[in-house]
Amino acid sequence: MEIFADTYDVEAIKELYDFGILDGVTTNPTILANSGRNYKEVLSDIASIIGDKMLCAQVVAKDCAGMMREANVLRKIAKNFVVKLPITPEGLKACQILKSEGTKVIATVCLSPSQALLAAKCGADYIAPYVGRLNNIGANGLDVVSSMQAIIDNYEYDTKILAASIKSVNDVIELTTMGVGAITTTPDIITSMYMHPLTNKSIVMFDEDWAKSGQVIE
Ligand code: E4P
């Protein structure tokens, strides 16, 4: 499963990159606006940390021509830039053009299985359903993702699901059982994935017992 950090936080990205488990970084217009910095500076800083890992940012234009103009600006920022397009008819048009030009695409804010089907048919590399936002309106985000994954599997589309808006480690694990190709979530949740109180306790016990033995591994 590919793991993306959904953040502008350069320090957190550095830490996760060094950790060796990061496949890329996703942003959205809210994330970039919340950074309080110029979007190009933030994206360039992230690009310089993650090298050839994927860097993803979203266009905000509503028509295909405008989306293409913005995509042309964005894809110059990083070696492996992935353009996020909203799942609208104009977004799907832009998706097909960008794919024909060899640029990777995420069909984002993809909230229903029928939207996922259309995005996969238009060749999107990833479709991004928002699990937490679906749960927040009383839908079942994981069930929606599961239907999307079934569509992709039934028709053997190359598209991967990039499950987004994930609010817990349990959600991540549920998504792995569905065979979802990628997730994006906050650095906090990614960090929580390796934490377990019993792991820490056991390491402390081993250290104490080894110290009592007076031996050194050398
Ligand atoms: C996806 O790429 C989005 O940036 C994101 O995951 C949205 O998450 P949120 O619902 O926590 O804002």
Side-chain angles (χ1 to χ4, degrees):
M1 177 188 258
E2 293 170 8
I3 298 180
F4 290 73
D6 201 32
T7 186
Y8 66 80
D9 183 341
V10 172
E11 288 310 312
I13 291 168
K14 241 185 233 157
E15 208 170 295
L16 292 171
Y17 179 80
D18 290 345
F19 189 10
I21 46 82
L22 206 58
D23 294 287
V25 173
T26 55
T27 64
N28 62 35
T30 307
I31 289 174
L32 291 176
N34 286 344
S35 76
R37 299 175 60 204
N38 174 276
Y39 79 94
K40 263 190 197 169
E41 286 174 18
V42 182
L43 292 174
S44 302
D45 284 355
I46 298 172
S48 69
I49 296 166
I50 65 172
D52 57 7
K53 305 281 182 196
M54 290 174 268
L55 176 58
C56 322
Q58 190 170 330
V59 297
V60 291
K62 299 293 169 274
D63 64 311
C64 177
M67 288 176 185
M68 286 306 300
R69 261 195 311 278
E70 292 177 357
N72 283 334
V73 175
L74 291 172
R75 62 185 167 176
K76 291 193 187 98
I77 298 175
K79 272 191 223 152
N80 196 356
F81 203 91
V82 188
V83 177
K84 293 175 75 179
L85 299 164
I87 173 87
T88 60
E90 292 297 298
L92 291 178
K93 276 191 228 167
C95 171
Q96 292 165 82
I97 300 171
L98 285 168
K99 284 306 298 167
S100 71
E101 294 176 355
T103 297
K104 282 193 203 139
V105 169
I106 298 173
T108 196
V109 276
C110 196
L111 301 174
S112 73
S114 57
Q115 290 175 329
L117 170 62
L118 296 180
K121 208 170 158 50
C122 289
D125 297 274
Y126 296 91
I127 51 181
Y130 288 13
V131 175
R133 293 191 195 193
L134 281 165
N135 291 342
N136 289 346
I137 59 156
N140 186 322
L142 291 175
D143 282 352
V144 172
V145 174
S146 171
S147 301
M148 292 177 174
Q149 189 61 57
I151 291 169
I152 290 172
D153 294 344
N154 285 345
Y155 294 95
E156 298 181 350
Y157 286 120
D158 288 332
T159 307
K160 286 182 188 169
I161 291 181
L162 169 64
S165 188
I166 292 168
K167 306 300 175 193
S168 74
V169 173
N170 281 347
D171 281 350
V172 176
I173 298 309
E174 288 292 328
L175 290 160
T176 63
T177 65
M178 295 173 202
V180 160
I183 56 146
T184 184
T185 189
T186 59
D188 276 357
I189 290 187
I190 298 174
T191 305
S192 300
M193 286 170 69
Y194 73 78
M195 286 181 176
H196 196 289
L198 197 51
T199 301
N200 297 343
K201 197 175 163 195
S202 300
I203 291 171
V204 170
M205 274 172 59
F206 288 140
D207 286 350
E208 287 170 359
D209 291 344
W210 190 246
K212 276 185 226 150
S213 84
Q215 300 180 76
V216 177
I217 300 176
E218 57 187 0

